[in-house]
């Protein structure tokens, strides 16, 4: 697969005039190994060769770096739209005019609650400075956004903050959650509970429906709920509608650190994830190196853990935000505690013991499976099999739903249990055959599906169609037609 970068976040300096409670970089002063202006402009040329669309200049506080206008213009010269994330403290009228002159796309100001809360998190007086910054941006026609990092202190202030931002004419609003990194490691009591994410998504959907400000849940929020899809559709339009298609890191985007280090995402502070430095190799070479970003480009379902490992969305989602997993669990090979879909499935598990009639529960599992709600069906089946471990019908259904979720090892296990006691079970032979085909053992799989045809009753034609499908998948359409012709005999 060829990876095409679209966007990147560039931390142009680690200098900052604040010391925010949740700062992931724990920024204070500029570091001596920052890229020089010439080095940074050379990087702009390299980014142009990659045909990037957007670059976000951040920090630290990017406006503390005096040559930021040169960098913005260097990006524009290379056909790239520069965006800026700032805390707003240094944003005066002449700054806004320079932004307009430099063709900056979006200026996003961090705003973390109402006045008292925001100032406590960031710096006394910063709220009023941010409000003034928004007014200046709108005065001069500069597209502007707000970014809010949500914690327990500001969670209940979102509604009032929304009204303030709309009143100021702010164009867009990104909501993200705080995670335990940088300064936030010392404030873990402020971290949200996983169930809080649902409320945030409800709020985002309400805001999106109002159409007064464009709302963007960050990649650390949501995953595979109808609400998230609706928010994306309402905020971004048809081009972004549908299910979340996974983390951009190392695939469609990357991060650039102050010293020219390149990594998949600037949120990741672990140096073991650095792919190279632009002082030593060009950004084009680093990006195109087949060895680069293997932690993300080569990540697969089996690299996950917990509930993420068995999730029906695992092959695409790959556990949601990697840095959330890394900071929450100490490793990426784990589950994402802030996944809204995972929370919903956990709620389903917790309710199962309330059902006294297991037949009703079994029927619900069948209904879920029939309607494509495989994850829900799998949860119920796993519960029922604890009470009826040898139930043939449940095992067959378990094999079916795990197959369609891509959990081939579990589908294989379920069918093998049936075949131990009933080796001529047509459905289990077919199911195991299809599963082995998906696992790369096509020859064995075909033999088992042939057995299913041999053992099947006259009205059970699924094995014929499935075998024909396998032959088509492996590029043997003639054999597929031969199999289907057997039905007519």
């Amino acid at each position: 697969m060829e990876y095409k970068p679209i966007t990147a976040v560039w931390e142009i300096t680690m200098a900052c005039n604040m010391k925010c409670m949740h700062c992931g970089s724990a920024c204070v002063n500029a570091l001596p190994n920052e890229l020089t202006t010439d080095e940074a402009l050379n990087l702009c040329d390299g980014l142009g060769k990659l045909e990037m669309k957007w670059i976000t200049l951040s920090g630290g506080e990017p406006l503390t770096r005096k040559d930021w206008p040169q960098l913005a213009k260097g990006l524009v010269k290379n056909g790239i739209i520069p965006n800026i994330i700032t805390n707003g403290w240094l944003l005066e009228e002449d700054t806004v005019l320079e932004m307009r002159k430099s063709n900056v796309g979006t200026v996003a100001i961090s705003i973390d609650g109402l006045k008292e809360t925001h100032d406590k998190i960031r710096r006394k007086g910063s709220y009023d400075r941010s409000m003034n910054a928004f007014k200046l941006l709108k005065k001069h026609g500069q597209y502007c956004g707000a970014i809010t990092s949500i914690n327990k202190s500001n969670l209940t202030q979102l509604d009032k903050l929304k009204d303030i931002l709309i009143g100021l004419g702010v164009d867009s609003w990104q909501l993200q959650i705080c995670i335990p990194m940088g300064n936030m490691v010392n404030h873990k009591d402020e971290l949200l509970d996983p169930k809080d994410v649902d409320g945030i998504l409800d709020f985002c959907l309400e805001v999106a429906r109002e159409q007064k400000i464009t709302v963007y849940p960050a990649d650390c929020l949501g995953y595979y709920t109808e609400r998230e899809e609706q928010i994306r559709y309402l905020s971004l339009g048809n081009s972004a509608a549908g299910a979340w298609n996974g983390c951009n890191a190392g695939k469609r985007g990357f991060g650039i650190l102050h010293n020219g280090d390149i990594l998949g995402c600037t949120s990741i502070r672990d140096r073991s994830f650095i792919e190279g430095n632009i002082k030593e190799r060009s950004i084009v070479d680093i990006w195109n190196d087949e060895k680069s970003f293997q932690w993300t480009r080569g990540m697969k379902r089996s690299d996950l853990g917990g509930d993420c490992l068995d999730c029906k969305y695992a092959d695409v989602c790959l556990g949601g935000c990697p840095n959330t997993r890394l900071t929450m669990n100490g490793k990426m090979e784990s589950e994402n505690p802030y996944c809204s879909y995972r929370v919903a499935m956990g709620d389903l598990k917790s309710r199962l013991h309330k059902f006294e009639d297991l037949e009703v529960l079994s029927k619900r599992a069948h209904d879920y499976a029939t309607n494509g709600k495989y994850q829900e069906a799998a949860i119920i089946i796993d519960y029922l099999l604890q009470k009826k471990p040898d139930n043939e019908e449940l095992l067959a259904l378990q094999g079916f739903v795990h197959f369609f979720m891509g959990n081939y090892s579990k589908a294989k296990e379920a069918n093998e249990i049936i075949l131990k006691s009933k080796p001529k079970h047509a459905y289990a032979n077919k199911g195991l055959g299809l599963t082995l085909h998906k696992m790369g053992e096509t020859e064995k799989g075909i033999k088992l599906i042939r057995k299913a045809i041999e053992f099947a009753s006259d009205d059970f034609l699924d094995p014929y169609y499935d075998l024909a499908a396998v032959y088509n998948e492996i590029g043997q359409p003639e054999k597929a037609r031969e199999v289907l012709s057997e039905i007519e005999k």
Side-chain angles (χ1 to χ4, degrees), residues 45-84:
D45 294 339
L47 295 169
K49 292 176 183 177
L50 285 175
E51 299 180 347
M52 308 285 289
K53 291 185 178 181
W54 302 280
I55 299 291
T56 298
L57 304 179
S58 73
E61 169 48 47
L63 299 186
T64 63
R65 180 160 173 155
K66 302 302 182 183
D67 62 354
W68 71 261
Q70 290 177 260
L71 307 190
K73 291 171 185 174
L75 292 170
V76 171
K77 185 191 76 172
N78 283 283
I80 303 169
I81 298 171
N83 300 319
I84 294 177

Side-chain angles (χ1 to χ4, degrees), residues 252-325:
R252 297 176 295 278
F254 56 91
I256 308 166
L257 300 187
H258 66 283
N259 63 345
D261 282 339
I262 304 298
L263 69 174
C265 173
T266 54
S267 294
I268 299 172
R269 313 312 295 187
D270 187 332
R271 294 193 62 82
S272 66
F273 290 93
I274 291 172
E275 309 294 340
N277 189 286
I278 60 100
K279 296 177 185 177
E280 300 166 0
R281 285 198 297 162
S282 73
I283 184 60
V284 175
D285 287 344
I286 294 172
W287 178 265
N288 290 328
D289 190 336
E290 62 180 15
K291 296 178 182 178
S292 294
F293 309 102
Q294 279 305 299
W295 67 268
T296 176
R297 293 177 181 176
M299 185 179 290
K300 51 190 179 300
R301 171 193 291 270
S302 57
D303 295 324
L304 302 173
D307 291 334
C308 287
L309 178 64
D310 297 329
C311 180
K312 70 177 181 179
Y313 297 114
D315 291 315
V316 177
C317 179
L318 292 172
C321 173
N323 195 48
T324 299
R325 302 196 308 277

Side-chain angles (χ1 to χ4, degrees), residues 166-187:
I166 291 173
L168 290 166
V170 176
D171 298 289
S172 64
W173 190 15
Q174 177 175 302
L175 297 175
Q176 58 196 35
I177 59 174
C178 293
I179 55 177
M181 59 181 290
N183 293 340
M184 198 66 190
V185 170
N186 300 316
H187 302 280

